[in-house]
Amino acid sequence: MKKLLNTLFITQPDVYLSLDGDNIVVLKEQEKLGRVPLHNLESIVAFGYAGASPALMGYCAERNISLVFLTASGRFLARVIGASKGNVVLRKKQYLLSENEAASAGIARNFIVGKLYNHKWMLERFTRDYPMRVDVIQFKEASRQLSALMEEVRACEDLERLRGLEGQAAVCYNKLWDQMILQQKEHFYFHHRTRRPPLDNVNAMLSFAYTLLAHDMASALEGVGLDAYVGFLHRDRPGRVSLALDVMEELRGVYADKFVLAMINTKVVNQEDFLKKENGAVIMKEDARKKFLGEWQSKKQEKITHPYLGEKISWGLVPHAQALLLARYLRNDLDEYPPFLWK
């Protein structure tokens, strides 16, 4: 269990949630794992739950404590709430700001600042850890350019201009991606991003990782009561989780890219894990996807200290922490949305 921003996260699998007085009790096979007072909670998020008592659900509904159920892997299942109160106000605020491009830019630039900051420190870490394996001068110049672009992003009030700055930063960062591949370079290389379809092994892995991250982010946003399909940087498009794509921008490099690089550089994957189709598309084989998913789930269990909250949490809870912070900002509990700045 982990309490974070008045939200209780139940991460143990196959537990039963019950009510005892004004407390939630977590049981596994009749053994009591924990007991937490409910009076200060805003929501409860359960991963891979076995069930919840009707008494607990009724108590939470009456007091506007949301109960969120996700699979063990983090896929959103349901959010149980009582009569509409704060949730509808939160979504109305989200929709209102999304319709205003100036207001959207004010929020979106923090997502991009987080992305650029994390890309910059990925490059800095490579120059520190592998000075004999990468071109330090190129990496330092790219780091300087990202710092300059961050300053422009912070002052930007136009969505189109913001997208242009993000594009410049992506070019600056992507041109060094290939140097961060330290092993198996004959079969794993990165020249540029290809999506539909991915045309090499690295792009196939990146596409899969970004898809998993988008799903995790969408589940986290739905869990706090936000609409994952209505974004600020990414505009509305049927079937696209635009807000999830917005918030995951700051996690692309430090979470997904680093994960893919680790899979390659530690040789967890190899050339035999990929298949090239007649149209040139490269896909991961079924066994490779299972291996990838297993490593992804293991990564989500690793502990870090959240840079803004200062609390020790697992990587898997980072999307949920950012979703909570975004919801607090939209409720005017925070003056500004704090992006995830990892160093």
PDB file of all heavy atoms in Angstrom, residues 243-276:
ATOM      1  N   LEU A 243      -5.046  13.567 -24.103  1.00  0.00           N
ATOM      2  CA  LEU A 243      -4.468  14.031 -22.844  1.00  0.00           C
ATOM      3  C   LEU A 243      -3.382  13.074 -22.355  1.00  0.00           C
ATOM      4  O   LEU A 243      -2.362  13.503 -21.813  1.00  0.00           O
ATOM      5  CB  LEU A 243      -5.553  14.189 -21.774  1.00  0.00           C
ATOM      6  CG  LEU A 243      -5.069  14.813 -20.454  1.00  0.00           C
ATOM      7  CD1 LEU A 243      -4.483  16.203 -20.679  1.00  0.00           C
ATOM      8  CD2 LEU A 243      -6.199  14.863 -19.434  1.00  0.00           C
ATOM      9  N   ALA A 244      -3.577  11.783 -22.571  1.00  0.00           N
ATOM     10  CA  ALA A 244      -2.543  10.811 -22.201  1.00  0.00           C
ATOM     11  C   ALA A 244      -1.267  11.072 -22.996  1.00  0.00           C
ATOM     12  O   ALA A 244      -0.154  11.012 -22.447  1.00  0.00           O
ATOM     13  CB  ALA A 244      -3.043   9.396 -22.449  1.00  0.00           C
ATOM     14  N   LEU A 245      -1.404  11.387 -24.284  1.00  0.00           N
ATOM     15  CA  LEU A 245      -0.236  11.707 -25.102  1.00  0.00           C
ATOM     16  C   LEU A 245       0.431  12.990 -24.629  1.00  0.00           C
ATOM     17  O   LEU A 245       1.658  13.126 -24.690  1.00  0.00           O
ATOM     18  CB  LEU A 245      -0.643  11.830 -26.574  1.00  0.00           C
ATOM     19  CG  LEU A 245      -1.185  10.561 -27.228  1.00  0.00           C
ATOM     20  CD1 LEU A 245      -1.598  10.845 -28.673  1.00  0.00           C
ATOM     21  CD2 LEU A 245      -0.159   9.430 -27.196  1.00  0.00           C
ATOM     22  N   ASP A 246      -0.385  13.947 -24.152  1.00  0.00           N
ATOM     23  CA  ASP A 246       0.174  15.190 -23.596  1.00  0.00           C
ATOM     24  C   ASP A 246       1.077  14.909 -22.402  1.00  0.00           C
ATOM     25  O   ASP A 246       2.235  15.306 -22.364  1.00  0.00           O
ATOM     26  CB  ASP A 246      -0.963  16.115 -23.119  1.00  0.00           C
ATOM     27  CG  ASP A 246      -1.664  16.839 -24.242  1.00  0.00           C
ATOM     28  OD1 ASP A 246      -1.268  16.672 -25.409  1.00  0.00           O
ATOM     29  OD2 ASP A 246      -2.623  17.575 -23.945  1.00  0.00           O
ATOM     30  N   VAL A 247       0.509  14.241 -21.401  1.00  0.00           N
ATOM     31  CA  VAL A 247       1.204  14.090 -20.128  1.00  0.00           C
ATOM     32  C   VAL A 247       2.384  13.123 -20.258  1.00  0.00           C
ATOM     33  O   VAL A 247       3.397  13.275 -19.573  1.00  0.00           O
ATOM     34  CB  VAL A 247       0.243  13.632 -19.015  1.00  0.00           C
ATOM     35  CG1 VAL A 247       0.938  13.662 -17.659  1.00  0.00           C
ATOM     36  CG2 VAL A 247      -1.000  14.521 -18.965  1.00  0.00           C
ATOM     37  N   MET A 248       2.289  12.149 -21.166  1.00  0.00           N
ATOM     38  CA  MET A 248       3.396  11.204 -21.316  1.00  0.00           C
ATOM     39  C   MET A 248       4.589  11.811 -22.033  1.00  0.00           C
ATOM     40  O   MET A 248       5.669  11.205 -22.033  1.00  0.00           O
ATOM     41  CB  MET A 248       2.947   9.932 -22.031  1.00  0.00           C
ATOM     42  CG  MET A 248       2.611  10.094 -23.494  1.00  0.00           C
ATOM     43  SD  MET A 248       2.222   8.508 -24.288  1.00  0.00           S
ATOM     44  CE  MET A 248       3.836   8.051 -24.945  1.00  0.00           C
ATOM     45  N   GLU A 249       4.446  13.017 -22.606  1.00  0.00           N
ATOM     46  CA  GLU A 249       5.588  13.645 -23.278  1.00  0.00           C
ATOM     47  C   GLU A 249       6.788  13.734 -22.349  1.00  0.00           C
ATOM     48  O   GLU A 249       7.920  13.458 -22.743  1.00  0.00           O
ATOM     49  CB  GLU A 249       5.213  15.044 -23.787  1.00  0.00           C
ATOM     50  CG  GLU A 249       4.281  15.081 -24.980  1.00  0.00           C
ATOM     51  CD  GLU A 249       4.932  14.565 -26.251  1.00  0.00           C
ATOM     52  OE1 GLU A 249       6.165  14.364 -26.289  1.00  0.00           O
ATOM     53  OE2 GLU A 249       4.199  14.357 -27.242  1.00  0.00           O
ATOM     54  N   GLU A 250       6.552  14.115 -21.102  1.00  0.00           N
ATOM     55  CA  GLU A 250       7.667  14.288 -20.172  1.00  0.00           C
ATOM     56  C   GLU A 250       8.287  12.960 -19.747  1.00  0.00           C
ATOM     57  O   GLU A 250       9.399  12.929 -19.209  1.00  0.00           O
ATOM     58  CB  GLU A 250       7.207  15.076 -18.939  1.00  0.00           C
ATOM     59  CG  GLU A 250       6.086  14.428 -18.173  1.00  0.00           C
ATOM     60  CD  GLU A 250       5.213  15.432 -17.421  1.00  0.00           C
ATOM     61  OE1 GLU A 250       4.535  16.242 -18.080  1.00  0.00           O
ATOM     62  OE2 GLU A 250       5.227  15.394 -16.193  1.00  0.00           O
ATOM     63  N   LEU A 251       7.588  11.835 -20.016  1.00  0.00           N
ATOM     64  CA  LEU A 251       8.090  10.516 -19.626  1.00  0.00           C
ATOM     65  C   LEU A 251       8.648   9.715 -20.802  1.00  0.00           C
ATOM     66  O   LEU A 251       9.214   8.640 -20.591  1.00  0.00           O
ATOM     67  CB  LEU A 251       6.965   9.712 -18.965  1.00  0.00           C
ATOM     68  CG  LEU A 251       6.375  10.298 -17.682  1.00  0.00           C
ATOM     69  CD1 LEU A 251       5.228   9.421 -17.181  1.00  0.00           C
ATOM     70  CD2 LEU A 251       7.441  10.429 -16.602  1.00  0.00           C
ATOM     71  N   ARG A 252       8.502  10.217 -22.017  1.00  0.00           N
ATOM     72  CA  ARG A 252       8.952   9.451 -23.190  1.00  0.00           C
ATOM     73  C   ARG A 252      10.424   9.078 -23.090  1.00  0.00           C
ATOM     74  O   ARG A 252      10.806   7.918 -23.235  1.00  0.00           O
ATOM     75  CB  ARG A 252       8.727  10.251 -24.472  1.00  0.00           C
ATOM     76  CG  ARG A 252       7.304  10.228 -24.993  1.00  0.00           C
ATOM     77  CD  ARG A 252       7.211  11.024 -26.284  1.00  0.00           C
ATOM     78  NE  ARG A 252       5.840  11.136 -26.758  1.00  0.00           N
ATOM     79  CZ  ARG A 252       5.271  10.298 -27.630  1.00  0.00           C
ATOM     80  NH1 ARG A 252       5.970   9.284 -28.101  1.00  0.00           N
ATOM     81  NH2 ARG A 252       4.031  10.475 -28.012  1.00  0.00           N
ATOM     82  N   GLY A 253      11.277  10.074 -22.844  1.00  0.00           N
ATOM     83  CA  GLY A 253      12.709   9.808 -22.819  1.00  0.00           C
ATOM     84  C   GLY A 253      13.150   9.057 -21.590  1.00  0.00           C
ATOM     85  O   GLY A 253      13.774   7.993 -21.664  1.00  0.00           O
ATOM     86  N   VAL A 254      12.806   9.604 -20.425  1.00  0.00           N
ATOM     87  CA  VAL A 254      13.345   9.083 -19.174  1.00  0.00           C
ATOM     88  C   VAL A 254      12.715   7.743 -18.787  1.00  0.00           C
ATOM     89  O   VAL A 254      13.294   6.995 -17.989  1.00  0.00           O
ATOM     90  CB  VAL A 254      13.148  10.134 -18.057  1.00  0.00           C
ATOM     91  CG1 VAL A 254      11.708  10.213 -17.598  1.00  0.00           C
ATOM     92  CG2 VAL A 254      14.087   9.881 -16.903  1.00  0.00           C
ATOM     93  N   TYR A 255      11.574   7.418 -19.355  1.00  0.00           N
ATOM     94  CA  TYR A 255      10.897   6.159 -19.030  1.00  0.00           C
ATOM     95  C   TYR A 255      10.981   5.186 -20.209  1.00  0.00           C
ATOM     96  O   TYR A 255      11.628   4.143 -20.121  1.00  0.00           O
ATOM     97  CB  TYR A 255       9.443   6.455 -18.674  1.00  0.00           C
ATOM     98  CG  TYR A 255       8.698   5.354 -17.945  1.00  0.00           C
ATOM     99  CD1 TYR A 255       8.047   5.602 -16.739  1.00  0.00           C
ATOM    100  CD2 TYR A 255       8.607   4.065 -18.452  1.00  0.00           C
ATOM    101  CE1 TYR A 255       7.345   4.609 -16.067  1.00  0.00           C
ATOM    102  CE2 TYR A 255       7.920   3.064 -17.795  1.00  0.00           C
ATOM    103  CZ  TYR A 255       7.282   3.339 -16.607  1.00  0.00           C
ATOM    104  OH  TYR A 255       6.588   2.336 -15.952  1.00  0.00           O
ATOM    105  N   ALA A 256      10.347   5.543 -21.341  1.00  0.00           N
ATOM    106  CA  ALA A 256      10.258   4.604 -22.469  1.00  0.00           C
ATOM    107  C   ALA A 256      11.588   4.461 -23.210  1.00  0.00           C
ATOM    108  O   ALA A 256      12.037   3.342 -23.481  1.00  0.00           O
ATOM    109  CB  ALA A 256       9.155   5.058 -23.430  1.00  0.00           C
ATOM    110  N   ASP A 257      12.224   5.582 -23.565  1.00  0.00           N
ATOM    111  CA  ASP A 257      13.481   5.504 -24.327  1.00  0.00           C
ATOM    112  C   ASP A 257      14.559   4.789 -23.527  1.00  0.00           C
ATOM    113  O   ASP A 257      15.286   3.944 -24.054  1.00  0.00           O
ATOM    114  CB  ASP A 257      13.971   6.906 -24.710  1.00  0.00           C
ATOM    115  CG  ASP A 257      13.078   7.587 -25.736  1.00  0.00           C
ATOM    116  OD1 ASP A 257      12.042   7.007 -26.101  1.00  0.00           O
ATOM    117  OD2 ASP A 257      13.417   8.708 -26.155  1.00  0.00           O
ATOM    118  N   LYS A 258      14.684   5.143 -22.251  1.00  0.00           N
ATOM    119  CA  LYS A 258      15.696   4.501 -21.409  1.00  0.00           C
ATOM    120  C   LYS A 258      15.424   3.000 -21.280  1.00  0.00           C
ATOM    121  O   LYS A 258      16.355   2.197 -21.237  1.00  0.00           O
ATOM    122  CB  LYS A 258      15.728   5.152 -20.022  1.00  0.00           C
ATOM    123  CG  LYS A 258      16.468   6.476 -19.964  1.00  0.00           C
ATOM    124  CD  LYS A 258      16.594   6.991 -18.537  1.00  0.00           C
ATOM    125  CE  LYS A 258      17.522   6.116 -17.731  1.00  0.00           C
ATOM    126  NZ  LYS A 258      17.726   6.639 -16.359  1.00  0.00           N
ATOM    127  N   PHE A 259      14.160   2.637 -21.232  1.00  0.00           N
ATOM    128  CA  PHE A 259      13.804   1.224 -21.138  1.00  0.00           C
ATOM    129  C   PHE A 259      14.234   0.479 -22.394  1.00  0.00           C
ATOM    130  O   PHE A 259      14.839  -0.600 -22.313  1.00  0.00           O
ATOM    131  CB  PHE A 259      12.292   1.087 -20.926  1.00  0.00           C
ATOM    132  CG  PHE A 259      11.816  -0.335 -20.904  1.00  0.00           C
ATOM    133  CD1 PHE A 259      11.944  -1.106 -19.754  1.00  0.00           C
ATOM    134  CD2 PHE A 259      11.244  -0.904 -22.032  1.00  0.00           C
ATOM    135  CE1 PHE A 259      11.504  -2.431 -19.732  1.00  0.00           C
ATOM    136  CE2 PHE A 259      10.815  -2.217 -22.021  1.00  0.00           C
ATOM    137  CZ  PHE A 259      10.942  -2.991 -20.872  1.00  0.00           C
ATOM    138  N   VAL A 260      13.939   1.044 -23.552  1.00  0.00           N
ATOM    139  CA  VAL A 260      14.319   0.408 -24.824  1.00  0.00           C
ATOM    140  C   VAL A 260      15.836   0.295 -24.931  1.00  0.00           C
ATOM    141  O   VAL A 260      16.378  -0.745 -25.330  1.00  0.00           O
ATOM    142  CB  VAL A 260      13.731   1.187 -26.016  1.00  0.00           C
ATOM    143  CG1 VAL A 260      14.331   0.709 -27.338  1.00  0.00           C
ATOM    144  CG2 VAL A 260      12.208   1.030 -26.049  1.00  0.00           C
ATOM    145  N   LEU A 261      16.540   1.358 -24.585  1.00  0.00           N
ATOM    146  CA  LEU A 261      18.003   1.321 -24.629  1.00  0.00           C
ATOM    147  C   LEU A 261      18.553   0.235 -23.706  1.00  0.00           C
ATOM    148  O   LEU A 261      19.502  -0.481 -24.065  1.00  0.00           O
ATOM    149  CB  LEU A 261      18.582   2.686 -24.234  1.00  0.00           C
ATOM    150  CG  LEU A 261      18.468   3.784 -25.289  1.00  0.00           C
ATOM    151  CD1 LEU A 261      18.758   5.146 -24.684  1.00  0.00           C
ATOM    152  CD2 LEU A 261      19.422   3.505 -26.456  1.00  0.00           C
ATOM    153  N   ALA A 262      17.975   0.097 -22.518  1.00  0.00           N
ATOM    154  CA  ALA A 262      18.431  -0.927 -21.582  1.00  0.00           C
ATOM    155  C   ALA A 262      18.186  -2.328 -22.139  1.00  0.00           C
ATOM    156  O   ALA A 262      19.033  -3.224 -21.988  1.00  0.00           O
ATOM    157  CB  ALA A 262      17.731  -0.761 -20.235  1.00  0.00           C
ATOM    158  N   MET A 263      17.050  -2.529 -22.794  1.00  0.00           N
ATOM    159  CA  MET A 263      16.738  -3.835 -23.388  1.00  0.00           C
ATOM    160  C   MET A 263      17.767  -4.213 -24.450  1.00  0.00           C
ATOM    161  O   MET A 263      18.141  -5.384 -24.591  1.00  0.00           O
ATOM    162  CB  MET A 263      15.336  -3.804 -24.001  1.00  0.00           C
ATOM    163  CG  MET A 263      14.209  -3.682 -23.009  1.00  0.00           C
ATOM    164  SD  MET A 263      13.806  -5.252 -22.199  1.00  0.00           S
ATOM    165  CE  MET A 263      12.898  -6.082 -23.496  1.00  0.00           C
ATOM    166  N   ILE A 264      18.229  -3.208 -25.197  1.00  0.00           N
ATOM    167  CA  ILE A 264      19.218  -3.463 -26.253  1.00  0.00           C
ATOM    168  C   ILE A 264      20.608  -3.616 -25.648  1.00  0.00           C
ATOM    169  O   ILE A 264      21.332  -4.582 -25.941  1.00  0.00           O
ATOM    170  CB  ILE A 264      19.215  -2.315 -27.280  1.00  0.00           C
ATOM    171  CG1 ILE A 264      17.858  -2.203 -27.981  1.00  0.00           C
ATOM    172  CG2 ILE A 264      20.325  -2.515 -28.312  1.00  0.00           C
ATOM    173  CD1 ILE A 264      17.683  -0.935 -28.784  1.00  0.00           C
ATOM    174  N   ASN A 265      20.998  -2.664 -24.819  1.00  0.00           N
ATOM    175  CA  ASN A 265      22.375  -2.624 -24.314  1.00  0.00           C
ATOM    176  C   ASN A 265      22.690  -3.751 -23.338  1.00  0.00           C
ATOM    177  O   ASN A 265      23.861  -4.114 -23.166  1.00  0.00           O
ATOM    178  CB  ASN A 265      22.653  -1.263 -23.672  1.00  0.00           C
ATOM    179  CG  ASN A 265      22.710  -0.143 -24.705  1.00  0.00           C
ATOM    180  OD1 ASN A 265      22.987  -0.387 -25.879  1.00  0.00           O
ATOM    181  ND2 ASN A 265      22.445   1.080 -24.276  1.00  0.00           N
ATOM    182  N   THR A 266      21.675  -4.306 -22.689  1.00  0.00           N
ATOM    183  CA  THR A 266      21.902  -5.465 -21.815  1.00  0.00           C
ATOM    184  C   THR A 266      21.598  -6.777 -22.545  1.00  0.00           C
ATOM    185  O   THR A 266      21.626  -7.848 -21.924  1.00  0.00           O
ATOM    186  CB  THR A 266      21.041  -5.373 -20.545  1.00  0.00           C
ATOM    187  OG1 THR A 266      19.652  -5.279 -20.917  1.00  0.00           O
ATOM    188  CG2 THR A 266      21.421  -4.149 -19.712  1.00  0.00           C
ATOM    189  N   LYS A 267      21.279  -6.682 -23.823  1.00  0.00           N
ATOM    190  CA  LYS A 267      21.056  -7.839 -24.703  1.00  0.00           C
ATOM    191  C   LYS A 267      19.897  -8.722 -24.252  1.00  0.00           C
ATOM    192  O   LYS A 267      19.922  -9.941 -24.438  1.00  0.00           O
ATOM    193  CB  LYS A 267      22.349  -8.661 -24.834  1.00  0.00           C
ATOM    194  CG  LYS A 267      23.512  -7.877 -25.428  1.00  0.00           C
ATOM    195  CD  LYS A 267      24.741  -8.736 -25.614  1.00  0.00           C
ATOM    196  CE  LYS A 267      25.887  -7.914 -26.215  1.00  0.00           C
ATOM    197  NZ  LYS A 267      27.115  -8.724 -26.407  1.00  0.00           N
ATOM    198  N   VAL A 268      18.892  -8.095 -23.662  1.00  0.00           N
ATOM    199  CA  VAL A 268      17.672  -8.838 -23.339  1.00  0.00           C
ATOM    200  C   VAL A 268      16.947  -9.212 -24.633  1.00  0.00           C
ATOM    201  O   VAL A 268      16.324 -10.271 -24.735  1.00  0.00           O
ATOM    202  CB  VAL A 268      16.748  -8.005 -22.420  1.00  0.00           C
ATOM    203  CG1 VAL A 268      15.425  -8.728 -22.179  1.00  0.00           C
ATOM    204  CG2 VAL A 268      17.442  -7.717 -21.095  1.00  0.00           C
ATOM    205  N   VAL A 269      17.028  -8.338 -25.637  1.00  0.00           N
ATOM    206  CA  VAL A 269      16.488  -8.630 -26.971  1.00  0.00           C
ATOM    207  C   VAL A 269      17.645  -8.774 -27.943  1.00  0.00           C
ATOM    208  O   VAL A 269      18.743  -8.251 -27.710  1.00  0.00           O
ATOM    209  CB  VAL A 269      15.528  -7.522 -27.456  1.00  0.00           C
ATOM    210  CG1 VAL A 269      14.290  -7.458 -26.606  1.00  0.00           C
ATOM    211  CG2 VAL A 269      16.232  -6.172 -27.500  1.00  0.00           C
ATOM    212  N   ASN A 270      17.393  -9.480 -29.036  1.00  0.00           N
ATOM    213  CA  ASN A 270      18.391  -9.615 -30.101  1.00  0.00           C
ATOM    214  C   ASN A 270      17.697  -9.679 -31.448  1.00  0.00           C
ATOM    215  O   ASN A 270      16.459  -9.634 -31.522  1.00  0.00           O
ATOM    216  CB  ASN A 270      19.272 -10.852 -29.862  1.00  0.00           C
ATOM    217  CG  ASN A 270      18.454 -12.131 -29.767  1.00  0.00           C
ATOM    218  OD1 ASN A 270      17.728 -12.493 -30.695  1.00  0.00           O
ATOM    219  ND2 ASN A 270      18.541 -12.813 -28.626  1.00  0.00           N
ATOM    220  N   GLN A 271      18.476  -9.807 -32.497  1.00  0.00           N
ATOM    221  CA  GLN A 271      17.942  -9.770 -33.850  1.00  0.00           C
ATOM    222  C   GLN A 271      16.885 -10.842 -34.090  1.00  0.00           C
ATOM    223  O   GLN A 271      15.947 -10.646 -34.870  1.00  0.00           O
ATOM    224  CB  GLN A 271      19.101  -9.911 -34.857  1.00  0.00           C
ATOM    225  CG  GLN A 271      18.700 -10.109 -36.310  1.00  0.00           C
ATOM    226  CD  GLN A 271      17.946  -8.922 -36.889  1.00  0.00           C
ATOM    227  OE1 GLN A 271      17.868  -7.859 -36.286  1.00  0.00           O
ATOM    228  NE2 GLN A 271      17.369  -9.109 -38.072  1.00  0.00           N
ATOM    229  N   GLU A 272      17.023 -11.991 -33.423  1.00  0.00           N
ATOM    230  CA  GLU A 272      16.080 -13.100 -33.628  1.00  0.00           C
ATOM    231  C   GLU A 272      14.676 -12.795 -33.106  1.00  0.00           C
ATOM    232  O   GLU A 272      13.740 -13.532 -33.386  1.00  0.00           O
ATOM    233  CB  GLU A 272      16.616 -14.366 -32.943  1.00  0.00           C
ATOM    234  CG  GLU A 272      17.979 -14.820 -33.445  1.00  0.00           C
ATOM    235  CD  GLU A 272      17.970 -15.051 -34.954  1.00  0.00           C
ATOM    236  OE1 GLU A 272      17.014 -15.690 -35.430  1.00  0.00           O
ATOM    237  OE2 GLU A 272      18.885 -14.582 -35.636  1.00  0.00           O
ATOM    238  N   ASP A 273      14.533 -11.718 -32.354  1.00  0.00           N
ATOM    239  CA  ASP A 273      13.237 -11.364 -31.777  1.00  0.00           C
ATOM    240  C   ASP A 273      12.348 -10.563 -32.724  1.00  0.00           C
ATOM    241  O   ASP A 273      11.235 -10.178 -32.348  1.00  0.00           O
ATOM    242  CB  ASP A 273      13.435 -10.555 -30.488  1.00  0.00           C
ATOM    243  CG  ASP A 273      13.969 -11.401 -29.349  1.00  0.00           C
ATOM    244  OD1 ASP A 273      13.546 -12.564 -29.233  1.00  0.00           O
ATOM    245  OD2 ASP A 273      14.811 -10.912 -28.578  1.00  0.00           O
ATOM    246  N   PHE A 274      12.817 -10.295 -33.951  1.00  0.00           N
ATOM    247  CA  PHE A 274      12.094  -9.414 -34.862  1.00  0.00           C
ATOM    248  C   PHE A 274      11.839 -10.088 -36.206  1.00  0.00           C
ATOM    249  O   PHE A 274      12.576 -10.980 -36.622  1.00  0.00           O
ATOM    250  CB  PHE A 274      12.881  -8.114 -35.075  1.00  0.00           C
ATOM    251  CG  PHE A 274      13.070  -7.327 -33.806  1.00  0.00           C
ATOM    252  CD1 PHE A 274      14.139  -7.611 -32.958  1.00  0.00           C
ATOM    253  CD2 PHE A 274      12.181  -6.327 -33.438  1.00  0.00           C
ATOM    254  CE1 PHE A 274      14.320  -6.911 -31.776  1.00  0.00           C
ATOM    255  CE2 PHE A 274      12.352  -5.636 -32.257  1.00  0.00           C
ATOM    256  CZ  PHE A 274      13.420  -5.929 -31.420  1.00  0.00           C
ATOM    257  N   LEU A 275      10.785  -9.617 -36.838  1.00  0.00           N
ATOM    258  CA  LEU A 275      10.379 -10.158 -38.132  1.00  0.00           C
ATOM    259  C   LEU A 275      10.125  -9.004 -39.089  1.00  0.00           C
ATOM    260  O   LEU A 275       9.423  -8.044 -38.737  1.00  0.00           O
ATOM    261  CB  LEU A 275       9.100 -10.993 -37.973  1.00  0.00           C
ATOM    262  CG  LEU A 275       8.501 -11.604 -39.235  1.00  0.00           C
ATOM    263  CD1 LEU A 275       9.427 -12.670 -39.794  1.00  0.00           C
ATOM    264  CD2 LEU A 275       7.128 -12.206 -38.935  1.00  0.00           C
ATOM    265  N   LYS A 276      10.703  -9.091 -40.296  1.00  0.00           N
ATOM    266  CA  LYS A 276      10.489  -8.050 -41.309  1.00  0.00           C
ATOM    267  C   LYS A 276       9.477  -8.535 -42.324  1.00  0.00           C
ATOM    268  O   LYS A 276       9.643  -9.585 -42.937  1.00  0.00           O
ATOM    269  CB  LYS A 276      11.802  -7.684 -41.999  1.00  0.00           C
ATOM    270  CG  LYS A 276      11.695  -6.451 -42.875  1.00  0.00           C
ATOM    271  CD  LYS A 276      13.060  -5.885 -43.210  1.00  0.00           C
ATOM    272  CE  LYS A 276      12.941  -4.541 -43.912  1.00  0.00           C
ATOM    273  NZ  LYS A 276      14.259  -3.903 -44.112  1.00  0.00           N
TER     274      LYS A 276
END
